[in-house]
Amino acid sequence: MFRKIALFLLWIGLTSYTFLLAPPQQPDTFELIKNLSTGNWEGINPFIISLFNLMGIWPAIYACLLLTDGREQKIKAFPFVIASFAVGAFAILPYLFLREPNSEFTGQKDLLLKVLDSRWLGVILTIPTLILLIWGFSAGNWQDFLYQWQTSKFIHVMSIDFCLLCLLVPVILGDDMKRKGIDNPIIFWTASLIPLLGILGYLCLRPNLPENSSDIIGNEF
């Protein structure tokens, strides 16, 4: 119950902060979002381009963790995952405080779950992530980013959203590991504490989900 209350208060705090305390919306925000979305990146700080595109990686990561979880929940994860592609943690947080702890998976995996359960998807997500991180950190202008973080609601909230998605990983990771028969605290904390790359490494290495929960045996990768 404490976890549910904490997650609910975090969601309320994030929403309130965004509308009441974050820097003001800039007049060119819509144009910036359109250019970032269409690949018209001329004149845009590479660090912001990388951050924006990494925010598209995060919903796919959470889809790999939440859609198998949602099979056993009264409230399904699918609408929240879809919404997270637009609003990130604003959509993930409500699912996390509404769901119940569950470490089982029953029934057959459909095609979508088979794709999301595949190690190859983890690899596919990791490659562009590494490219974006290397490019963003090497070519990005930190002073410009700091200025935009201080003055632009879009950049400011997107940055906080990214950090929250990193911090929320352990909330759902433990149940995913149990569904796959993994009982290793080192794996849990490595995937949880290394931002973004930790959970991607987990997705690349985790075993496939058994079709029947009775088939689960201990795994250490």
Side-chain angles (χ1 to χ4, degrees):
M1 180 57 70
F2 174 78
R3 175 182 288 188
K4 285 178 174 289
I5 294 173
L7 290 169
F8 176 74
L9 292 176
L10 181 59
W11 181 61
I12 293 296
L14 174 64
T15 304
S16 301
Y17 179 84
T18 298
F19 287 103
L20 300 176
L21 297 174
Q25 194 75 276
Q26 297 300 314
D28 62 346
T29 296
F30 178 77
E31 186 69 18
L32 174 62
I33 295 173
K34 184 183 75 172
N35 289 336
L36 286 168
S37 302
T38 57
N40 184 17
W41 296 343
E42 184 176 358
I44 302 177
N45 187 343
F47 194 88
I48 293 174
I49 297 170
S50 297
L51 178 61
F52 180 82
N53 283 280
L54 289 173
M55 291 303 297
I57 299 288
W58 269 119
I61 292 172
Y62 274 92
C64 295
L65 300 172
L66 296 183
L67 291 184
T68 50
D69 178 78
R71 172 71 71 86
E72 308 299 325
Q73 301 288 337
K74 292 181 179 179
I75 180 168
K76 300 305 179 184
F78 189 76
F80 298 91
V81 170
I82 293 297
S84 72
F85 280 91
V87 295
F90 290 88
I92 297 296
L93 273 167
Y95 177 77
L96 293 180
F97 68 69
L98 289 171
R99 70 179 289 273
E100 298 295 332
N102 180 73
S103 58
E104 296 183 355
F105 179 86
T106 58
Q108 298 292 316
K109 293 186 292 185
D110 58 24
L111 178 59
L112 176 60
L113 291 186
K114 288 180 179 179
V115 171
L116 294 173
D117 194 40
S118 169
R119 293 178 178 179
W120 284 108
L121 180 58
V123 174
I124 290 170
L125 293 174
T126 300
I127 293 172
T129 296
L130 290 172
I131 294 172
L132 287 168
L133 287 172
I134 293 170
W135 181 57
F137 278 105
S138 62
N141 185 325
W142 277 95
Q143 289 184 333
D144 173 72
F145 173 76
L146 181 59
Y147 173 77
Q148 295 201 53
W149 186 84
Q150 293 172 331
T151 58
S152 168
K153 182 187 289 287
F154 173 64
I155 303 300
H156 189 91
V157 173
M158 180 169 62
S159 303
I160 294 174
D161 196 358
F162 179 91
C163 294
L164 275 177
L165 290 170
C166 293
L167 293 173
L168 291 172
V169 165
V171 176
I172 191 68
L173 178 60
D175 278 351
D176 189 80
M177 290 176 61
K178 290 177 183 177
R179 277 190 290 272
K180 294 174 175 295
I182 303 170
D183 183 16
N184 189 323
I186 295 177
I187 293 172
F188 177 85
W189 290 113
T190 300
S192 298
L193 296 180
I194 300 177
L196 185 55
L197 294 179
I199 188 60
L200 282 171
Y202 171 77
L203 294 181
C204 290
L205 297 173
R206 64 178 183 169
N208 291 333
L209 189 71
E211 296 290 346
N212 190 314
S213 58
S214 63
D215 295 335
I216 296 177
I217 58 175
N219 288 295
E220 301 295 333
F221 287 172

